[in-house]
Amino acid sequence: MNYTLHQLQVFVKVAELKSVTKASEALHLSQPAVSIQLKNLQDQFEIPLIEVIGRQIHITEFGHEIVESSKKILKEVNDINYKTLAFKGQLVGQLKISVVSTGKYVMPYFLNEFVNEHPGIELNMDVTNKLKVVKSLEDNAVDFALVSTLPSHIDVKSEPLMPNTLLWVANQDYDFQYKNNLNALKKVPLIFREYGSATRHAMETYMKSYDFPVGKRLELTSNEAVKQAVIAGLGVSLMPIIGLKNALLNNIVKVVPSKKCPITTEWNLIWLKSKKLSPVAQAYLDFIKKEKHDIIDNKFNWYEDYISSL
């Protein structure tokens, strides 16, 4: 047997994602490179590891056994690397963060310097909708979560990061001419985020407050998809401006003034109140408390300037 750690890593990722294409993207490899590694690993076993039925990859019973063994081997190797770095006095371990989808425009800027300062840290950041973010926190599967609305059914501690401002936006073809376009907004197609999104909740709360009629609506599952639909002229949406920098500054979309807008909430880094933070997690929290204002000043100056100009 001459299988390599790289072959085991590739096989585990293919098994997790059930796709060579997705595995290649996750590992930053070409599809042919992933296929070659799979073949080289399979050639060392007489029993099939995977079966391809139609276009779907299925892991065989024997393959599942190899996956579990591979995970143990890879974990031991990682542990050796961590121990080596720790022996040299470096901060080592995993930092797990779950981020609501719009938070992908925020969180990387609050991670970059910390991760670069500590090469022994393995970052795992999952970007998903609010329901899944809160569930991962509730299950103690992550150290921190980034949300704009604090969950009410679990006890958490929080560290405020920066404002989250939402505005009605449309493409340049829509003709909104007034300082308050509430009545006009009630007549146009509206674009929503999916159920469970904090942005959708804010939009529905606003509509309920001002008796919006049930009219044409489109539902999409990401902030980026909503933005592209707005740009294409499919409708109007209430969106966090943090993800609209280029579209706003280049006049690709425009703000629609309306009653009691903008709506401002706050991005919060939260963690379970009962959780004992790991050394890595505690170090990151200390970093955030110390550096967050400088990060905002250096990375989000356009954001503050744009809000103040409204």
Side-chain angles (χ1 to χ4, degrees):
M1 292 289 181
N2 294 310
Y3 47 78
T4 66
L5 293 173
H6 186 50
Q7 289 169 1
L8 297 181
Q9 182 186 35
V10 168
F11 179 53
V12 167
K13 188 58 66 175
V14 170
E16 288 176 350
L17 299 177
K18 302 292 191 300
S19 166
V20 169
T21 300
K22 292 180 180 178
S24 67
E25 292 172 353
L27 295 169
H28 305 290
L29 298 170
S30 67
Q31 291 185 40
V34 170
S35 298
I36 289 170
Q37 294 300 324
L38 276 180
K39 182 180 184 302
N40 290 342
L41 181 64
Q42 177 63 78
D43 288 346
Q44 298 177 69
F45 298 98
E46 296 180 1
I47 305 172
L49 299 173
I50 65 173
E51 294 176 334
V52 180
I53 302 175
R55 295 186 177 181
Q56 182 66 47
I57 288 178
H58 297 270
I59 310 302
T60 64
E61 183 178 354
F62 177 68
H64 281 295
E65 294 289 337
I66 300 302
V67 167
E68 294 306 312
S69 296
S70 298
K71 287 181 178 178
K72 292 176 183 178
I73 293 170
L74 294 171
K75 181 181 183 303
E76 290 296 326
V77 171
N78 284 333
D79 287 346
I80 291 172
N81 293 334
Y82 288 152
K83 288 174 183 177
T84 302
L85 292 170
F87 193 77
K88 292 164 64 177
Q90 296 186 27
L91 187 64
V92 297
Q94 285 193 332
L95 179 63
K96 297 181 179 180
I97 301 178
S98 189
V99 179
V100 293
S101 57
T102 309
K104 68 184 177 185
Y105 300 106
V106 175
M107 200 68 227
Y109 295 100
F110 289 91
L111 286 164
N112 180 49
E113 184 179 343
F114 180 76
V115 172
N116 287 337
E117 283 182 358
H118 303 287
I121 291 176
E122 180 183 339
L123 174 64
N124 186 329
M125 187 176 80
D126 180 40
V127 180
T128 184
N129 67 32
K130 184 190 174 185
L131 289 179
K132 292 180 180 178
V133 166
V134 174
K135 183 68 165 58
S136 65
L137 189 72
E138 196 172 6
D139 292 343
N140 198 28
V142 295
D143 299 303
F144 300 105
L146 181 70
V147 296
S148 58
T149 305
L150 297 179
S152 58
H153 65 288
I154 54 175
D155 290 329
V156 298
K157 292 183 178 180
S158 65
E159 178 67 24
L161 290 188
M162 61 179 289
N164 177 38
T165 303
L166 295 91
L167 294 161
W168 287 99
V169 291
N171 81 351
Q172 294 295 328
D173 293 334
Y174 277 95
D175 186 20
F176 294 103
Q177 300 178 345
Y178 305 102
K179 291 184 177 180
N180 180 5
N181 294 280
L182 184 60
N183 289 331
L185 283 171
K186 293 180 179 182
K187 300 175 183 178
V188 298
L190 299 179
I191 305 171
F192 289 76
R193 283 290 308 277
E194 80 284 4
Y195 178 77
S197 162
T199 302
R200 178 184 179 125
H201 176 72
M203 187 167 170
E204 289 181 332
T205 300
Y206 186 92
M207 293 171 62
K208 184 177 181 180
S209 297
Y210 296 107
D211 297 319
F212 272 60
V214 178
K216 296 180 181 178
R217 56 178 63 192
L218 174 66
E219 181 178 306
L220 297 170
T221 58
S222 75
N223 194 68
E224 191 63 28
V226 173
K227 179 173 72 175
Q228 294 303 323
V230 169
I231 292 172
L234 291 176
V236 177
S237 188
L238 185 71
M239 298 188 67
I241 69 169
I242 194 68
L244 295 170
K245 179 180 179 180
N246 291 333
L248 287 170
L249 298 184
N250 293 319
N251 297 316
I252 298 171
V253 300
K254 62 184 177 183
V255 173
V256 182
S258 186
K259 191 172 184 178
K260 292 191 176 179
C261 268
I263 298 169
T264 301
T265 59
E266 194 164 41
W267 291 112
N268 282 276
L269 194 69
I270 64 173
W271 62 100
L272 289 176
K273 192 174 183 179
S274 59
K275 185 176 181 64
K276 180 175 174 57
L277 296 178
S278 70
V280 169
Q282 185 60 58
Y284 180 63
L285 183 59
D286 294 341
F287 167 82
I288 286 297
K289 290 179 177 180
K290 180 182 177 182
E291 303 293 341
K292 65 180 181 180
H293 295 296
D294 285 342
I295 294 171
I296 292 170
D297 289 342
N298 293 329
K299 303 298 183 181
F300 296 100
N301 54 333
W302 74 270
Y303 183 83
E304 299 292 340
D305 291 345
Y306 191 87
I307 293 173
S308 62
S309 69
L310 294 174

